[in-house]
Amino acid sequence: MERIIGLIDAPFTPFYANGDVNLEPIEKYAAMLIKNGLKGVFINGSSGEGYMLTTEERMLLAEKWVAVAPKDFKVIVHVGSCCLRESARLAAHAEKIGAWGIGAMAPPFPKIGRIEELVKYCEEIAAAAPSLPFYFYHIPAFNGVFLPMVELLKAVDGRIPNFAGIKYTYECMYEYNQCRLYKDGKYDILHGQDETYLPSLAQGGAQGGICGTTNYNGREQVAIGEAWKAGDLEKAQELQNFSQAVINVICNYRGNIVGGKRIMKLIGLDLGPNRVPFRNMTDEEEASMKKELEAIDFFNRCNRF
């Protein structure tokens, strides 16, 4: 299967003030991501509040992103759900509309506690879209599924033909690298933590990643990989440290899903509120966050339209 080279963005879902999905900004959104060096999108995931969308809304969003995506801009659709039948339906829909790939995190309920349970979950979803690469989205902080990923690779190997790899969003760089090394790099292991992108490159083989802060800090995040490739370690370190400084700010405002989404408004693309039960930022918090971002010179380094 084709490997992902470069960074894929995990976009936010635009909403109107009343909470309805707003498809209007997506074409401009896609153009901005492309302009700033992103190679595709992983939609309806955690940044996109995917579990808070109806199946029909998720399908509409997938259709819109595929419709506006130019050639070679990859649209990967997150299809994970607490209802496996809905996941299979979303996967089949993604294949039908011409998405590049699909992915799924383990459901937050019921909690998956064994590798075989996780394999079966992935197997049924992947089988619903057999022509598309399937990525397991490993993010145990969201669902409590702290299972060994090398063991997952061993279990799916030869069993799920279109299992492409893992979006690895966890702190264990050792396990990340062991997954990358499995059978001489058989699977595409995408780094999923923006704050440690440089260490993943330094281990000697990471080529792709899926990021949330690239929505607004994509130029700098992409530049980390470019500096590393050029052999400019000092520049790569400065860029990674800046990435962490941005993350430090959003962590003061309920993280990327809430704080990061409000940054989009500050840089020129208002994507609306978050859905309940997320607690939206107040105007006072927005002003405070803006000052913190100004203090690290963010607005001279952020994404451009």
Side-chain angles (χ1 to χ4, degrees), residues 51-236:
Y51 276 93
M52 302 161 79
L53 302 168
T54 67
T55 296
E56 289 69 28
E57 287 172 332
R58 293 170 77 169
M59 288 180 173
L60 286 172
L61 284 158
E63 290 167 10
K64 183 66 174 181
W65 276 103
V66 169
V68 303
K71 184 181 179 181
D72 299 327
F73 187 75
K74 295 176 171 59
V75 178
I76 306 171
V77 183
H78 175 257
V79 298
S81 170
C82 291
C83 175
L84 187 55
R85 291 187 177 187
E86 289 300 295
S87 291
R89 183 182 169 203
L90 287 164
H93 175 262
E95 184 179 54
K96 180 180 178 181
I97 65 174
W100 184 85
I102 56 171
M105 68 176 80
F109 179 85
K111 181 179 175 180
I112 289 176
R114 297 188 306 124
I115 288 291
E116 176 57 27
E117 294 168 356
L118 182 55
V119 173
K120 188 63 177 174
Y121 174 77
C122 293
E123 186 175 39
E124 294 204 16
I125 297 172
S131 71
L132 299 186
F134 170 86
Y135 286 85
F136 174 63
Y137 180 5
H138 182 50
I139 184 165
F142 278 23
N143 49 33
V145 180
F146 292 90
L147 292 173
M149 288 296 99
V150 175
E151 295 305 311
L152 175 65
L153 294 180
K154 291 177 182 177
V156 302
D157 195 355
R159 179 169 169 179
I160 304 179
N162 56 329
F163 191 98
I166 298 172
K167 179 195 175 190
Y168 191 92
T169 308
Y170 187 47
E171 290 79 9
C172 185
M173 296 300 295
Y174 166 72
E175 184 185 51
Y176 164 80
N177 200 46
Q178 290 300 297
C179 289
R180 191 185 62 76
L181 293 172
Y182 175 77
K183 286 196 174 179
D184 296 321
K186 179 174 182 177
Y187 292 105
D188 196 12
I189 310 300
L190 303 172
H191 191 67
Q193 283 204 311
D194 306 21
E195 57 268 41
T196 54
Y197 180 41
L198 179 56
S200 78
L201 297 171
Q203 288 188 101
Q207 298 185 75
I210 301 180
C211 306
T213 64
T214 45
N215 284 291
Y216 40 86
N217 194 42
R219 288 197 307 156
E220 302 295 271
Q221 198 75 14
V222 168
I224 295 171
E226 293 173 345
W228 174 259
K229 187 176 181 180
D232 191 344
L233 179 58
E234 185 175 349
K235 178 63 174 177

Side-chain angles (χ1 to χ4, degrees), residues 8 13 78 90 110 118 149 212 281 296 303 305:
I8 302 290
T13 294
H78 175 257
L90 287 164
L118 182 55
M149 288 296 99
M281 290 177 62
I296 61 171
N303 285 353
F305 286 92

Side-chain angles (χ1 to χ4, degrees), residues 12-20 22 25 49 257-258 260-265 269-275 280-281:
F12 303 110
T13 294
F15 295 117
Y16 290 109
N18 68 356
D20 290 345
N22 177 10
E49 302 175 65
I257 299 173
V258 176
K261 191 173 188 180
R262 187 63 69 95
I263 291 177
M264 300 302 291
K265 175 186 173 186
L269 188 65
D270 191 347
L271 300 177
N274 298 102
R275 278 192 169 171
N280 282 284
M281 290 177 62

